[in-house]
Structures are given as structure tokens and as C-alpha cells.
Amino acid sequence: RAYEKGAQGPSKAIIFAEVMSRQVVNHIVNYVHTLSSSFKVEIENSRSKISKIEAELMLLSKELDQEKSQHIADNERNQSTIDTLSSDVHDLKQNLEDATTLATETQATLKWSHENIMQLQKQLEIERQSVETERKTNSQLQEHVLSCERDIDA
């Protein structure tokens, strides 16, 4: 106001400086207020984004927990299956050993039986030849008896 009333000299400069400093301060206050409002909006947006991210993380955490539980259950089932299969393999190995032993014993028995059969066939052949010889001898004896009976009758 003093400037408008025509103040002169240093007073004019001081008044000008005061006016300018008030304008600068007002401008800074307005700028700070604008920045503050802008920061408040950004902070709220950031909080909202953080809340959304936290919600997504919670959901993902639940999903991971469910998957982890599922994997644990699957692993337990798989381990049970592995244990059963291992037991089955052990049983099959034992059965194979038993079958191999039985096959070896059977093979030995078959060999022994074959040898006995061969021996019996030889004995049978000898007996057959003996029977054949006896038949011939009996036949010759019958002919001799008949011949003797004819001689006696004659």
C-alpha cells in the first residue's frame, strides 16, 4: 500500500521485497499444499495397491498351502505305493528263487526218472527176449512131447 501511495527509495525497495517475499511464500505454500494433496492421493493409491497386493498374497499363500497339502498327501500315497511295490518285488524275488529251486529239483527228478525209464526199458527188452526164448523152448518142448506121444502111441 505504501508502494501504491508513492513510497520512494529504500522504503520502496523494502516494501517491494516484502510483497515479493509474501508472493513467493504464498506460492511456496500453495505449491507445498498442492504437493501435499498430490502425495496424499499417491499415498492412498499406494495403500490401495498394497491392500490389493496383500489380498493377492494371502490368496496365493492359501493356494500354496493347499498345493503343499496336496503334494504331501500325494507323496504319502506315492510312498505307500512304493512300499507296497517294494514288498511285492521282494515277494516276487522270493517266488522266483523258490520256482528256480523247484525247477532245478524237477529237472533232477526228470533226469533220474528218464534214467530209470531207460533202465526199465533195457530190463523190459531183456525180459522180452527171455520170454521169446522161453516160448521157443516151450514150443520146441511141446513139439518134442507131441513127437514122444506119437512115438508112444505108435
Side-chain angles (χ1 to χ4, degrees):
R1 290 182 190 167
Y3 183 74
E4 290 173 359
K5 290 184 181 176
Q8 300 278 332
S11 297
K12 186 176 181 182
I14 290 172
I15 291 170
F16 180 72
E18 283 178 3
V19 169
M20 289 305 290
S21 67
R22 276 190 205 125
Q23 286 179 349
V24 168
V25 167
N26 284 340
H27 183 67
I28 290 172
V29 166
N30 287 338
Y31 182 71
V32 167
H33 181 68
T34 301
L35 280 178
S36 174
S37 296
S38 177
F39 284 149
K40 285 178 184 177
V41 168
E42 284 299 317
I43 288 170
E44 274 307 308
N45 288 342
S46 294
R47 283 184 181 151
S48 175
K49 288 178 184 177
I50 288 171
S51 293
K52 287 179 184 177
I53 291 171
E54 285 175 341
E56 288 177 15
L57 285 174
M58 290 294 276
L59 183 62
L60 288 174
S61 177
K62 285 180 183 178
E63 288 176 7
L64 284 174
D65 287 345
Q66 288 174 346
E67 286 184 25
K68 181 180 175 183
S69 296
Q70 185 64 40
H71 286 304
I72 289 170
D74 290 346
N75 287 342
E76 288 173 356
R77 278 193 301 277
N78 289 342
Q79 187 60 49
S80 176
T81 301
I82 287 169
D83 292 344
T84 301
L85 289 174
S86 293
S87 176
D88 291 350
V89 166
H90 179 267
D91 292 346
L92 288 172
K93 283 182 180 179
Q94 186 61 48
N95 290 346
L96 181 60
E97 287 176 15
D98 294 346
T100 302
T101 301
L102 183 60
T104 302
E105 291 171 356
T106 303
Q107 189 175 19
T109 302
L110 287 173
K111 183 179 178 187
W112 177 80
S113 296
H114 179 71
E115 289 171 359
N116 282 344
I117 289 170
M118 295 303 288
Q119 191 68 19
L120 289 172
Q121 283 179 340
K122 286 179 186 176
Q123 288 176 354
L124 184 63
E125 183 60 28
I126 292 169
E127 289 293 321
R128 191 185 63 76
Q129 288 175 1
S130 175
V131 166
E132 189 63 36
T133 303
E134 280 185 40
R135 276 190 193 151
K136 284 181 185 177
T137 303
N138 283 342
S139 183
Q140 288 173 355
L141 283 174
Q142 278 181 345
E143 282 181 31
H144 182 66
V145 166
L146 284 175
S147 174
C148 286
E149 284 179 352
R150 277 188 235 139
D151 285 343
I152 292 175
D153 287 341

